[in-house]
């Protein structure tokens, strides 16, 4: 029997950035790692997040997308839910076994203006801290929960700022489809990486 996401979140408690092994955040991420191993179940949880509103579901979506990164073959470092002074505020840092890094930003929707300089700044900071070698081995990836073909604000900003080689946009649905292809067909992590990387 599959437990609904709302039940899981009720059991783990309010997701926040409190450190420690027994915090709601740590319990939720452990649960995902041990119990959400099928793409179908992950899809159900993500769809539940996108149907519901509120901070708890936005934060759960961020963790679910990062967990999806692990199913795609990346080693994932979960980011903070909320930015603080003096710490890099990325949502996720995905490291490929092929020595390529994806700095991930999860957005429920594109309705609100998104400043691409923020994500570029995260990658620059990670490079200066030597956690990423350089821009040739990295990219920023916006993962959009509910893309709207009418709203091209983010795409236009990337083009206007000439960041096409550094930033990409994808939907959660596209990443879920890639994970399904990996589990059902002969699609490898290298294939996934080739699709995600800027050409």
């Amino acid at each position: 029997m599959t437990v609904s996401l709302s039940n899981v979140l009720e059991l783990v408690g309010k997701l926040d950035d409190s450190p420690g092994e027994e915090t709601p955040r740590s319990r939720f991420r452990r649960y995902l790692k041990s119990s959400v191993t099928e793409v179908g179940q992950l899809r159900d949880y993500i769809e539940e997040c996108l149907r519901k509103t509120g901070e708890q579901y936005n934060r759960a979506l961020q963790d679910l997308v990062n967990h999806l990164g692990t199913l795609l073959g990346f080693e994932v470092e979960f980011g903070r839910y909320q930015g603080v002074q003096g710490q890099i505020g990325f949502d996720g840092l995905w490291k490929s076994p092929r020595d390529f890094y994806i700095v991930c930003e999860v957005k429920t929707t594109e309705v609100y203006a998104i400043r691409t300089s923020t994500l570029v700044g995260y990658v620059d900071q990670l490079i200066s801290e030597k956690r990423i070698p350089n821009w040739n081995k990295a990219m920023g990836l916006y993962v959009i929960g509910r893309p709207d073909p009418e709203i091209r604000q983010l795409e236009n900003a990337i083009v206007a700022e000439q960041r096409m080689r550094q930033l990409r946009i994808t939907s959660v649905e596209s990443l879920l489809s890639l994970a399904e292809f990996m589990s059902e067909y002969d699609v490898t992590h290298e294939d996934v990486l080739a699709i995600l990387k800027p050409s």
Side-chain angles (χ1 to χ4, degrees):
M1 186 183 87
T2 306
V3 187
S4 74
L5 178 66
S6 50
N7 286 346
V8 173
L9 293 175
E10 223 169 90
L11 289 168
V12 298
K14 184 172 165 36
L15 298 175
D16 61 26
D17 287 314
S18 302
E21 286 303 304
E22 288 310 316
T23 60
R25 171 182 82 168
S26 296
R27 286 196 300 269
F28 183 54
R29 292 170 183 175
R30 273 200 309 273
Y31 169 77
L32 294 179
K33 188 175 181 181
S34 65
S35 303
V36 184
T37 54
E38 300 291 320
V39 181
Q41 187 183 3
L42 185 58
R43 178 185 290 281
D44 290 345
Y45 281 0
I46 286 172
E47 285 173 359
E48 191 175 337
C49 273
L50 295 173
R51 278 194 312 272
K52 299 191 173 174
T53 55
E55 188 177 77
Q56 184 80 334
Y57 289 100
N58 292 342
R59 290 176 172 187
L61 178 65
Q62 181 178 315
D63 284 348
L64 290 163
V65 169
N66 278 318
H67 184 60
L68 177 53
T70 63
L71 297 185
L72 291 169
F74 292 92
E75 183 185 309
V76 171
E77 179 184 329
F78 287 80
R80 296 183 58 82
Y81 298 126
Q82 205 167 358
V84 291
Q85 201 76 38
Q87 287 194 32
I88 306 173
F90 60 79
D91 289 349
L93 175 57
W94 300 2
K95 182 185 179 196
S96 165
R98 295 284 164 259
D99 198 31
F100 190 82
Y101 297 79
I102 295 177
V103 182
C104 189
E105 276 290 284
V106 181
K107 302 291 180 192
T108 307
T109 171
E110 292 178 83
V111 171
Y112 307 103
I114 298 166
R115 291 177 46 220
T116 57
S117 58
T118 305
L119 183 48
V120 170
Y122 294 158
V123 180
D124 285 338
Q125 282 179 277
L126 288 162
I127 291 169
S128 72
E129 289 184 6
K130 308 241 183 303
R131 292 169 68 189
I132 291 177
N134 55 53
W135 267 107
N136 293 331
K137 300 255 187 194
M139 67 178 240
L141 180 68
Y142 290 101
V143 182
I144 311 295
R146 289 191 298 266
D148 184 337
E150 299 299 309
I151 301 172
R152 304 184 70 115
Q153 173 271 129
L154 184 54
E155 188 181 322
N156 292 339
I158 290 171
V159 171
E161 294 178 31
Q162 300 180 338
R163 298 284 189 192
M164 286 91 70
R165 291 193 50 73
Q166 298 172 321
L167 302 177
R168 296 292 302 269
I169 308 166
T170 190
S171 65
V172 176
E173 179 55 43
S174 297
L175 291 182
L176 284 165
S177 296
L178 279 176
E180 282 168 346
F181 286 139
M182 277 185 86
S183 66
E184 292 172 28
Y185 304 103
D186 197 19
V187 174
T188 65
H189 172 74
E190 286 71 22
D191 298 325
V192 169
L193 200 56
I195 291 166
L196 292 176
K197 279 169 77 170
S199 55

